[in-house]
Amino acid sequence: MDDPKESVYVWLTDERNRTMLLFALAAGLGLTSLAFFFLGSSNSPTRTEFSLLVAAMVVVFYMTLRTNVF
């Protein structure tokens, strides 16, 4: 039987899996920020919502840098 740590490493080294995981992370951060905004009582974005959006943008920026080869 394979070592669980090794199988997780092999799964994460696959480019498709890593891309889908990062995309899901960015989408989750963005949707969480949107949910906080609509469910909150404040009429303007809070620091938490802004931080979640910035984190989503950083993940997407990392994905674009990682996939471009110069």
Side-chain angles (χ1 to χ4, degrees), residues 1-54:
M1 190 108 204
D2 288 336
D3 182 29
K5 290 181 182 180
E6 182 180 334
S7 54
V8 169
Y9 177 75
V10 169
W11 188 83
L12 285 175
T13 55
D14 185 18
E15 195 64 29
R16 285 179 295 171
N17 294 338
R18 188 181 300 170
T19 301
M20 292 302 292
L21 185 65
L22 288 171
F23 178 77
L25 176 65
L29 289 169
L31 289 175
T32 303
S33 174
L34 192 63
F36 279 165
F37 179 72
F38 284 126
L39 297 176
S41 60
S42 176
N43 289 336
S44 63
T46 63
R47 192 175 293 178
T48 303
E49 295 160 0
F50 183 72
S51 299
L52 286 169
L53 282 177
V54 169

Side-chain angles (χ1 to χ4, degrees), residues 22 57-70:
L22 288 171
M57 288 187 297
V58 166
V59 170
V60 171
F61 182 67
Y62 169 74
M63 287 173 59
T64 59
L65 288 179
R66 190 177 56 82
T67 57
N68 287 337
V69 178
F70 294 103

